[in-house]
Amino acid sequence: MPLNLSPICRCLLTLGMLACALPTASLADAQSPGPGYSGYPGRPASAASTASAAGGSGAAAAGAASQDDAMAMAGDQVAPPRCAAMPYKRKVLVTPFWLSQPSQAVDLRQMQGGMQDIFQQRLTRAGGWLTSASKQEVPFDLLPRYDAPVFLPNQVRLLGRQFGTQMVLGGIVHDISTEGETYRFTHGTDTRPGERKLEADGPIIGFFGLGLKSTPSLRHADIEVFLFDAISGSLITQRRVQAEVTGEILARDSQPVGSAGFMKTDFGKALGKVADQLVAAMQADAACVPFSARVTRVDNGIAYVDAGALSGIAAGDRFQFYRQKAGMQFIEPPGSNPGYGFGLPEDRAGTVTVRQVQAQFSAIAIDKNQAQPGDFVRYAPKPLSQPAAPDQTAADTAPQPDPNGVEVRKLNP
């Protein structure tokens, strides 16, 4: 009996006409809060590609977008380093990331821990860092209504002592919403969270799962990170980068965030590039922060500190010795929010020399009563000489005649 293909052809033709007639508005599901949302209440979504992010030094930097085949990215410009390269690797604790809108991550398994893994890998690859990770502990709370962090200096110092690190890294995923729609013919039963499928009904078409699938066409990635000094509890820098990603932007259930399969998707590659830019910015901001290690034990004129050969320390290295002043409170600017302070005052207690080094610790010879557990040794990198401004010439600074007979030296504005 010959097979009648007329019903199948008519069904496919109907699906094609339906695809052409459907509008291209954004999906109104739990995956996407709709156009106009990009992490801040009332800010249009298009601002994600042009918004500038505030650097950790407090100066506003203009957003610089870099175009890629599947993404457009904007964020802080990375300033050139102001200090010489650090000869020692600093220990940093990477904590799970806050999700500002958890409903946007319905297809992204283990988003909080996955971002933690991505930044650990990127920091290790950048060099100059020894990373560790916490399971649940975070250095700040999040106010969901305002999408803003509440800093906790005491919690930062506690994490530093608990995990033996000099710095603590935390982050917020402000926006990973989707928008727009693309349509394509498909078969099978693979429908990811955030997708919709219109299936044809029929004895043969239904068996093969033929239908029309609607998939989001664009996804936002708005990530902000905070780097804290675990000794004082103060904020060193905060950086933020936004990206708009197209292509394969929905994850499979078998590909948790940070896995090899996920990092091959367009959205995984975009998160990797965002992390690279944020790590480069943090590394430049922290270039002049001294290397520090804690005294964990004192025994018979020997102080043991929690950094060794893995940090690059060698026998014979010399460090400055510091002790926090007893009873002193956290120094904060007048009228500042809690947690935005400068740190704790310290006393310098001399210079010490490393006598013995093992992988995770070093032994330092000290004078009697010079050290106690909780003190610190430090190495400060030397500042780089700053070149003259390119538009500063001899004519600009030469003495200029004045009608009143007073010599005036013109300065470059």
Side-chain angles (χ1 to χ4, degrees):
M1 179 179 178
L3 178 64
N4 185 7
L5 297 179
S6 298
I8 299 177
C9 294
R10 284 196 300 269
C11 185
L12 292 177
L13 180 60
T14 302
L15 291 174
M17 295 175 64
L18 180 61
C20 296
L22 287 175
T24 57
S26 62
L27 291 172
D29 56 10
Q31 179 70 12
S32 170
Y37 179 84
S38 59
Y40 289 126
R43 197 179 79 177
S46 59
S49 60
T50 57
S52 62
S57 61
S66 60
Q67 296 297 328
D68 191 81
D69 292 340
M71 67 176 291
M73 188 161 61
D76 290 347
Q77 293 178 340
V78 179
R82 295 167 296 168
C83 291
M86 176 69 67
Y88 304 111
K89 292 184 177 181
R90 291 173 288 198
K91 294 183 178 180
V92 57
L93 174 69
V94 184
T95 62
F97 277 49
W98 283 98
L99 291 183
S100 180
Q101 299 288 335
S103 62
Q104 298 174 354
V106 293
D107 65 309
L108 299 172
R109 287 183 52 214
Q110 303 175 13
M111 181 67 184
Q112 294 173 289
M115 291 300 300
Q116 185 182 21
D117 293 340
I118 291 173
F119 272 85
Q120 268 196 278
Q121 296 168 6
R122 260 47 188 192
L123 285 165
T124 302
R125 183 185 303 176
W129 306 92
L130 291 178
T131 65
S132 57
S134 63
K135 294 296 183 182
Q136 298 178 338
E137 298 86 353
V138 291
F140 58 86
D141 286 333
L142 183 68
L143 291 176
R145 181 177 178 183
Y146 301 101
D147 198 28
V150 178
F151 295 151
L152 305 171
N154 291 334
Q155 173 74 359
V156 173
R157 293 195 292 270
L158 177 63
L159 290 175
R161 292 192 298 269
Q162 180 180 350
F163 290 89
T165 62
Q166 179 185 346
M167 299 180 186
V168 177
L169 174 68
I172 302 174
V173 180
H174 289 286
D175 184 18
I176 46 174
S177 63
T178 60
E179 64 180 67
E181 286 183 332
T182 57
Y183 304 95
R184 62 185 177 89
F185 288 110
T186 183
H187 62 86
T189 59
D190 180 22
T191 302
R192 308 179 192 184
E195 293 181 331
R196 297 183 301 179
K197 184 179 179 181
L198 178 61
E199 293 186 351
D201 188 15
I204 298 180
I205 296 179
F207 176 79
F208 289 103
L210 298 179
L212 185 67
K213 182 181 288 188
S214 168
T215 303
S217 58
L218 182 143
R219 191 164 205 166
H220 300 276
D222 187 351
I223 312 297
E224 187 172 19
V225 293
F226 305 82
L227 186 64
F228 298 91
D229 176 23
I231 295 176
S232 66
S234 60
L235 178 68
I236 297 174
T237 183
Q238 69 183 87
R239 291 281 186 160
R240 185 169 182 172
V241 170
Q242 302 91 22
E244 293 180 346
V245 192
T246 59
E248 189 179 2
I249 56 176
L250 297 180
R252 299 178 183 274
D253 188 62
S254 60
Q255 297 174 342
V257 175
S259 65
F262 174 82
M263 298 307 293
K264 292 179 181 179
T265 66
D266 291 317
F267 192 63
K269 294 176 183 177
L271 289 182
K273 291 181 180 180
V274 167
D276 286 335
Q277 183 170 332
L278 288 169
V279 167
M282 288 189 299
Q283 200 153 13
D285 293 340
C288 296
V289 176
F291 167 85
S292 297
R294 289 181 181 80
V295 175
T296 60
R297 177 182 171 185
V298 177
D299 188 14
N300 296 326
I302 299 294
Y304 298 93
V305 299
D306 59 358
L310 293 180
S311 296
I313 296 177
D317 290 353
R318 295 175 63 82
F319 293 94
Q320 302 297 322
F321 195 80
Y322 288 89
R323 174 177 297 166
Q324 289 184 347
K325 292 185 177 181
M328 296 296 293
Q329 295 182 348
F330 203 72
I331 299 178
E332 298 176 344
S336 67
N337 294 326
Y340 281 89
F342 304 129
L344 293 166
E346 299 173 335
D347 284 326
R348 181 177 171 182
T351 303
V352 293
T353 302
V354 177
R355 299 301 184 191
Q356 183 185 9
V357 176
Q358 295 196 25
Q360 297 281 4
F361 71 90
S362 302
I364 297 175
I366 58 173
D367 296 333
K368 185 178 181 181
N369 298 326
Q370 184 183 13
Q372 61 187 21
D375 292 343
F376 308 95
V377 295
R378 292 232 173 92
Y379 171 87
K382 295 182 179 180
L384 295 175
S385 57
Q386 297 296 327
D391 55 348
Q392 188 89 17
T393 63
D396 292 326
T397 57
Q400 303 293 321
D402 183 83
N404 299 322
V406 179
E407 183 181 271
V408 178
R409 182 173 294 275
K410 187 173 75 173
L411 298 177
N412 193 39

